[in-house]
Every structure is written in structure tokens, then in C-alpha cells.
Amino acid sequence: MAIHCSRTCVQYLIHLAHDNVDFRLPEIMALLSLRGQPFDPGEHFQEKSPFWRMNGLSEEDVKSVMARTVCAKSAFELWGHGRTHSELRTSLLKYPTENMSPFLQKDSTYKINVYTFNKTLEFEDRIKKIDELEYLPFEGRVNLKNPKHTFSLLEDYGTDPNNIPERPLYIYFGRWIADGQRELIRSHSVKNRHFIGNTSMDAGLSFIMANHARVKAHDLVFDPFVGTGSLLVACSHFGAYVCGTDIDYNTIHGMGKASRKNQKWRGPDENIRANLRQYGSEKLYVDVLVSDASKPIWRDGVLFDAIVTDPPYGIRESTRRTGSQKDSVISVKSSEDYVGDSHVPVSMAYHLSDIFTDLLNFSAHHLVFGGRLVYWLPIYRPEYCEEMVPLHPCLRLLSNCEQTLSSHTSRRLITMEKIKEPEEADALVHLSDPHFSPYQGHNAFREKYFSGISKRMLTGKEEPNKMVNGGE
């Protein structure tokens, strides 16, 4: 049981949401690193727990994290904790008086909330638990509507809804510091967005990706598979300038068939820029271009603080690039043959292994030192191993988080950081080190995905339908 000594060794409690569990630790670590702080949870840390105790932070550090996180609900200055209410009382009475007293003055107002994880308590039981805290030296007045200070008693009943214990496994008490940004998931929902497509990224995951990438004000962020711009919306929310490319002319220009029910064609102002205007961040919109991610269009040198993207998987959006099987035949054509409104480039298959190889090479050449690449990697789960994750000598793998799509497929959110500038030898590193060789098995993801669906149809087994995005 922790013994607190002064304001310099205060512990903070983070209450986390119990969805996207795999993404929580990398998000909190990324946001702490923006403050120059390490992640120090102390002993007995359990990543899957909804409560994390944090050491070595200031209140400003905690507020900075909570001002961005969508994985955490609330943060508290931890005054006491224990396995039983008796242990909690002992811990609270050991907490330094000088730390408590500024919040217990006669002229202050306060309220106490009771929160239980994985169990619902009746109102009378909550009141009883508050009354049991009468040993705390509160001198102010209770104000339930607008208190100056809010305190919380939090009880953890485990994570198994089918085996809820009668008594809590652990109990915490602390002073509320700040709430997370869970409201962004609702306010930026694609259901209410001006311009959407079949593969528009979920708002919560978009903000998680922006946080993993450590996107901040005045950064320049690029999405090479921009789609309808969901990731640009999230990154611009944190003050970054945003730009992107996509091979789909209709999507970039907001033309063609609509993705909304009961709407046949897209309206005249359905485009990415209008999405940023909807959320008040149009001034951070740089531009989007119709471009093939496999073809270089940028000048040499570093350009971007972060690259955040969701490449197409070949499920809802095709994996195509410009070119044809005749590219190997030498032919001479004038530039006039490729210009004008009537020219439609020939396209061919763009294999997933090539997409990821090109994406990592592009990031190595165009990210600033310390810049981050965040992207989704589709996986056929029965065959998955860590060697399938693409690597590059200039990029360090920071996190690899899984979102399960079905019994046989998932996608993994990969976060990498640039650690050195490219050298000529890097182009041949795959010859000397097989870890850097592209994994060709990614190319069969589409066939394996649909083979799994066919098997379920034959056996009559249904699974939850989760969106497979790709290209957003």
C-alpha cells in the first residue's frame, strides 16, 4: 500500500473506458511523451484493468493528457486505496494533511460521487458508502449542483460480467482532476458528418490514431489514402495543418453516388473541406490531391510531422494504382496524351505488400526526425505472427494494437517513429536481413476474408458485423 509523503510524490488515478482496450496504453504513453514524461504505473500494474495508478506526474501533466485522450474517462488525485474499506480508511488517514486541507476548508463546497465498475448499486447503497466516509475531515458545505471540489469513491468489481463478486476487488478514493474527451466520439460521429463514404473511419478510432501519432498544433499531417478525410478531421481538431491524396477522383472532388441511405447522388458541397468547415477547422485545411500513392509527386526531403492513414484492403475499396501490364513495353507518347478532362488513367492491381513497402519508404524519406507513422494493417488471424508487420531500418515499431473484426480477421494499428535518415544501403537491407523483406501473405487477405464469410454461410454461423474500412 502506497504511503504518500508530500505534493512531490502524489499518485494519480486514471479511470479508463473499457472499449478499445488494446489502444489505451499506447495512447496514454504518447500523450505523456508530449509532456516529456515517462509512463510510470508503479508495481502491480494491470494493463486490462479500468484503473491505473500513475507516479511521477504533476497535476498539469494529468490535465494535459485528459485534454486529449478518448480512451480515459476521468483522472483523480489519489488520496487512498485498499482491498477493503478498512484498508481504504487506513490509507486515507495516512494521506498528508497538508495535501488534503486546501480542499476541505469551511468556505469551500464539495460533493462525493460513488462509481462502481462492473456492478450497479442502488441509490441507498451509494448513500451508505458515502456516510461511511465520515472520518474524513470535511468542513465545507455539500453542493451537488455546482461544487468547488468533487471527490469520488471508486470500486472495482473485476472485468467478468458473468462472475461479479459480492464485495469489490479494490477500492479507491480521490479528488477529481479532469475528464477525458469521450464526448468527441459523439460530437464527431460520422452519422452526423457532412461528407462520408463507405469506408469513413469511426470518430473514436480517428482520434486514437491522432493521439498515437502525437499530432499537435502547427504540425503538418499527411494522409496518402485520404478517402473522405476522417483522419484529417481528427488531426485538425488538435491544431495540425492537414493534407492528403487519393487515387479516387470522385471521392476527392465529392462527386458520384452518395453513401447515405435515401440519397442517390452527392450534393454540390460534399467534400473534405466541408467536413473541416463543419467542425470549425477549415483554416487548417491545406489541400487534397488526386494522386497515386505508388508514384512519387513530392520533392525530396522531410515534409511531414506525422503520416496517419488507413490503406485500402481490397474489401470495400479496391487496391489499385495507375499503370498496366504493358508498362514493361517501351513506348513513346507525347505529354498531350495524358492531359485533358477526357483522359482516364489505366489502373492495375496494387498488392498489399507493395502498399506497405511504399508507405514505409515514403515515411522514411518524408517524415521529420522523430515523426510518427500510424496506419492499419489487415490480418488473417489464424496465420498471424509478429514477423508479418512490415519493418524499415529508419522506423522503430512503437506499438501494435489489434481490433478484432471477426473470428478469422482483424486489423492492427501500427505506430512507428522515424529514428534516422535514409541511406543508400537501406534500399538493399532486405537482402541481408529477412526481417525487412515484404510479407507476401498480405496479398491474399481479400481471398481469405471472403473465404471465411463463405464458410460461415455454409455452416450457418453468424458473427457480429464490423466495418472493414481501408482507404480512409
Side-chain angles (χ1 to χ4, degrees), residues 62-352:
V62 175
K63 287 181 177 179
S64 177
V65 170
M66 300 308 291
R68 293 190 48 151
T69 177
V70 293
C71 288
K73 289 185 174 182
S74 303
F76 307 87
E77 177 189 337
L78 186 60
W79 284 14
H81 56 90
R83 288 180 293 273
T84 64
H85 281 276
S86 176
E87 285 188 6
L88 173 66
R89 174 174 178 157
T90 302
S91 178
L92 282 169
L93 294 177
K94 287 182 179 179
Y95 195 69
T97 304
E98 62 269 23
N99 289 1
M100 284 188 180
S101 58
F103 311 102
L104 307 178
Q105 303 296 326
K106 289 184 178 180
D107 59 347
S108 68
T109 58
Y110 72 95
K111 73 173 181 179
I112 300 177
N113 293 326
V114 176
Y115 176 81
T116 55
F117 182 80
N118 198 32
K119 188 171 185 177
T120 301
L121 293 182
E122 298 293 336
F123 178 76
E124 293 77 9
D125 294 327
R126 294 173 181 269
I127 297 300
K128 182 179 178 181
K129 290 179 180 292
I130 293 174
D131 291 340
E132 290 174 352
L133 296 170
E134 61 183 1
Y135 54 84
L136 289 174
F138 287 104
E139 297 182 7
R141 293 178 292 105
V142 173
N143 186 331
L144 299 180
K145 291 186 176 180
N146 188 29
K148 188 174 181 180
H149 307 296
T150 300
F151 302 88
S152 290
L153 177 72
L154 305 104
E155 296 185 337
D156 183 2
Y157 286 85
T159 58
D160 185 357
N162 298 315
N163 185 25
I164 302 174
E166 183 178 344
R167 299 181 181 277
L169 303 178
Y170 216 84
I171 313 166
Y172 307 89
F173 183 87
R175 177 177 65 90
W176 174 83
I177 300 295
D179 287 331
Q181 304 304 306
R182 301 281 294 172
E183 172 61 20
L184 290 175
I185 299 174
R186 185 202 61 80
S187 63
H188 286 66
S189 170
V190 294
K191 294 180 181 178
N192 305 316
R193 191 163 299 168
H194 189 70
F195 175 49
I196 63 170
N198 292 333
T199 62
S200 293
M201 179 65 68
D202 166 81
L205 293 174
S206 297
F207 284 109
I208 287 173
M209 293 176 72
N211 281 333
H212 281 211
R214 301 196 307 180
V215 171
K216 59 187 183 299
H218 310 301
D219 279 356
L220 179 59
V221 179
F222 176 62
D223 181 355
F225 304 96
V226 70
T228 57
S230 294
L231 299 179
L232 302 193
V233 168
C235 293
S236 66
H237 176 80
F238 296 123
Y241 293 94
V242 293
C243 58
T245 60
D246 203 286
I247 197 172
D248 190 328
Y249 180 96
N250 286 343
T251 299
I252 288 293
H253 290 279
M255 299 169 60
K257 291 184 177 181
S259 297
R260 296 187 188 280
K261 188 178 181 180
N262 301 325
Q263 181 181 342
K264 188 173 182 180
W265 302 101
R266 287 176 175 143
D269 194 36
E270 287 192 50
N271 52 57
I272 296 173
R273 185 170 197 149
N275 278 349
L276 271 72
R277 186 185 308 127
Q278 178 182 355
Y279 299 108
S281 56
E282 184 181 7
K283 65 181 180 180
L284 299 170
Y285 174 84
V286 177
D287 209 348
V288 291
L289 308 171
V290 180
S291 178
D292 180 354
S294 69
K295 303 290 194 297
I297 63 169
W298 303 95
R299 61 176 172 83
D300 293 336
V302 296
L303 296 171
F304 306 113
D305 298 285
I307 296 173
V308 185
T309 192
D310 182 25
Y313 317 149
I315 307 302
R316 294 195 176 191
E317 294 290 340
S318 62
T319 53
R320 309 293 294 175
R321 64 182 179 90
T322 56
S324 73
Q325 302 300 330
K326 299 178 182 179
D327 283 350
S328 57
V329 179
I330 299 176
S331 61
V332 179
K333 292 187 178 182
S334 65
S335 60
E336 285 77 10
D337 291 328
Y338 299 100
V339 298
D341 294 337
S342 61
H343 175 66
V344 178
V346 176
S347 65
M348 60 185 296
Y350 192 12
H351 297 302
L352 281 176

